[in-house]
Amino acid sequence: MSGNRAVAYSGNGSVTVKDIDFPELVLRDGPGVNPKNVGRKCEHGVILKVVSTNICGSDQHMVRGRTTAPEGLVLGHEITGEVIETGRDVEFVRKGDLVSVPFNIACGRCRNCIEGKTHICLNVNPDRPGSAYGYVDMGGWVGGQAEYVMVPYADFQVLTFPDKDQAMEKILDLTMLSDIFPTGFHGAYTAGVKMGSTVYIAGAGPVGLAAAHSAQLLGASVVIVGDLIEERLQQARSFGCETINISEHDDISEQIDQILGVPEVDAAIDCVGFEAHGHQHEEAPAKVLNSVMETTKAGGGLGIPGLYVTEDPGASDEDARRGSLKLDFGLGWAKAQTFVTGQTPVMQYHHGLMKAILHDKADIANAVNATVISLEEAPYGYEEFDSGVAKKFVLDPHGLVRSR
């Protein structure tokens, strides 16, 4: 069988493209693999030839050293690929299928999966509910920033595209279905965005841009995006968003008042997470959460797809290292606001969003400025993304995306 190249965390803020084993239908030992998962048989799984796999801001948290990820961990949880091998127990997924893989790994058999809570599956991670490919403390499932990857529980999890040729024509949009598009949509949907809503989105990175586009799809009348980086705000304006440059305007409510005529919005979405910074670029991990509580109306909703962790070795103080943040929770309680946190249950959204893409109702690749690079260029992509460029990097391991 052919070899396999993959992107691995190499410490000191960097990644390396290296040779790794070709995937098997079993989880072998390796960096980050939970000892209780070693040797786990996956005849319910498939092996994919990776067509596209994206760099995510969550990956950057690990690469920056802001988690306990071990060196050598193969990265990547945003995966689209062609099935080249199926396990003995796979019944409905076939060789040659082109599929999107939810970043949540879910068995389909536990109580949470049956209830549609595939982001907190009880059977795939011995440490806690919920799992993902190529991510710290998520069970050790090998990441998909590679030429080939194994995907367990295939019949339950994967989204098969109905027409392979049509899918390849829209591959830059469809590659976003594994995480970023459902995550942005989840943030908007759980914040209660609906026809006519006014919405504030904290963060103009790829998830923030995906949330902004999703809010528009849900019928928002005005979408306001805040960020410290002007290039990212320009990208938000390119598809009809209002913007606030936080480095110039610390009082978000005042700026919202100038845009809307009132200092509050119906709904807000935190797409920044635990590495949030204030207007003077100082690290302030609770800054965004407190600001969106302040600027969201009484009875409004807060969607929080931004990542928060329980261990942050690079935090500025001991509380933040444990994920303990200084929140104005009394304000949120007094305003009777709703909060929805945690990983996105991708399977609740990916089929509908696929149809929106295939029928030209969603233009997510343009919204996030999808930018194709080769697998070998991954270190460059990580470096550029870390600098704050307004791009969503799509890795193309076999040149199949560029060939279109």
Side-chain angles (χ1 to χ4, degrees), residues 11 13 32 37 42 50 56 76 83 99-100 126 132 138 147 153 199 219 228 232 273 280 288 319 322 327 397-398:
N37 263 350
C42 297
V50 177
C56 179
V83 178
V99 302
S100 175
M138 288 290 185
E147 294 176 317
Y153 305 104
V199 185
L228 293 161
R232 289 182 166 185
Q280 295 182 334
V288 170
D319 284 341
R322 296 182 288 106
L327 295 179
H398 297 278

Side-chain angles (χ1 to χ4, degrees), residues 9-322:
Y9 171 51
S10 53
N12 300 316
S14 64
V15 301
T16 302
V17 183
K18 66 177 187 178
D19 293 317
I20 65 170
D21 292 337
F22 192 86
E24 304 174 76
L25 295 173
V26 61
L27 184 53
R28 303 292 188 190
D29 197 7
V33 179
N34 191 296
K36 294 179 181 178
N37 263 350
V38 173
R40 188 166 179 163
K41 292 180 171 56
C42 297
E43 289 294 340
H44 42 64
V46 296
I47 293 173
L48 300 184
K49 178 180 180 179
V50 177
V51 171
S52 60
T53 177
N54 316 324
I55 297 175
C56 179
S58 298
D59 299 319
Q60 284 285 17
H61 293 308
M62 291 186 288
V63 173
R64 292 190 191 111
R66 298 301 295 267
T67 72
T68 56
E71 292 186 23
L73 181 74
V74 175
L75 302 170
H77 54 269
E78 302 189 19
I79 307 165
T80 305
E82 179 186 3
V83 178
I84 61 172
E85 182 180 338
T86 61
R88 178 193 60 218
D89 299 331
V90 175
E91 185 175 359
F92 305 111
V93 180
R94 295 177 173 84
K95 290 181 183 179
D97 283 349
L98 184 62
V99 302
S100 175
V101 180
F103 79 90
N104 323 111
I105 301 172
C107 72
R109 305 164 187 178
C110 70
R111 176 178 178 178
N112 283 351
C113 284
I114 291 168
E115 293 176 352
K117 302 171 184 174
T118 54
H119 56 313
I120 43 175
C121 174
L122 300 173
N123 289 330
V124 289
N125 182 0
D127 285 338
R128 67 183 73 170
S131 188
Y133 302 89
Y135 210 84
V136 59
D137 296 331
M138 288 290 185
W141 301 88
V142 179
Q145 287 176 14
E147 294 176 317
Y148 302 91
V149 68
M150 189 269 284
V151 173
Y153 305 104
D155 277 335
F156 175 66
Q157 292 194 104
V158 303
L159 176 67
T160 302
F161 300 133
D163 185 302
K164 198 170 179 179
D165 290 335
Q166 180 194 29
M168 285 303 298
E169 290 298 324
K170 293 182 174 289
I171 191 63
L172 277 183
D173 295 287
L174 295 173
T175 191
M176 306 302 167
L177 290 174
S178 56
D179 180 358
I180 180 177
F181 198 6
T183 293
F185 192 90
H186 180 66
Y189 182 79
T190 57
V193 177
K194 58 186 178 182
M195 185 65 64
S197 294
T198 56
V199 185
Y200 175 69
I201 295 171
V207 171
L209 296 172
H213 186 46
S214 298
Q216 293 172 334
L217 292 175
L218 287 166
S221 58
V222 183
V223 178
I224 305 169
V225 181
D227 202 280
L228 293 161
I229 301 174
E230 182 59 32
E231 181 184 342
R232 289 182 166 185
L233 295 174
Q234 290 175 3
Q235 180 63 26
R237 290 193 291 270
S238 75
F239 59 96
C241 299
E242 300 286 344
T243 61
I244 296 173
N245 191 321
I246 306 300
S247 66
E248 299 173 1
H249 310 289
D250 188 41
D251 190 335
I252 297 172
S253 295
E254 179 183 335
Q255 301 309 310
I256 289 174
D257 192 13
Q258 291 182 13
I259 295 169
L260 298 178
V262 292
E264 61 183 16
V265 291
D266 298 318
I269 309 166
D270 171 12
C271 297
V272 180
F274 74 104
E275 285 195 69
H277 287 71
H279 77 288
Q280 295 182 334
H281 297 264
E282 77 283 6
E283 187 154 311
K287 178 74 174 180
V288 170
L289 289 172
N290 288 330
S291 66
V292 295
M293 279 190 279
E294 180 180 349
T295 199
T296 302
K297 71 175 185 179
L302 279 62
I304 309 175
L307 177 68
Y308 290 87
V309 296
T310 56
E311 292 183 81
D312 176 7
S316 57
D317 60 65
E318 188 57 38
D319 284 341
R321 288 187 186 94
R322 296 182 288 106

Side-chain angles (χ1 to χ4, degrees), residues 333-390:
W333 189 94
K335 295 176 77 172
Q337 294 170 334
T338 60
F339 302 73
V340 178
T341 67
Q343 290 185 42
T344 296
V346 169
M347 293 179 67
Q348 290 187 21
Y349 307 106
H350 65 175
H351 189 268
L353 294 176
M354 174 189 73
K355 290 193 292 184
I357 290 169
L358 294 178
H359 294 285
D360 299 320
K361 303 301 182 186
D363 195 14
I364 187 64
N366 281 334
V368 302
N369 194 17
T371 303
V372 182
I373 60 176
S374 70
L375 188 72
E376 299 295 332
E377 292 175 298
Y380 157 80
Y382 271 90
E383 184 177 347
E384 284 288 288
F385 189 28
D386 194 49
S387 73
V389 296

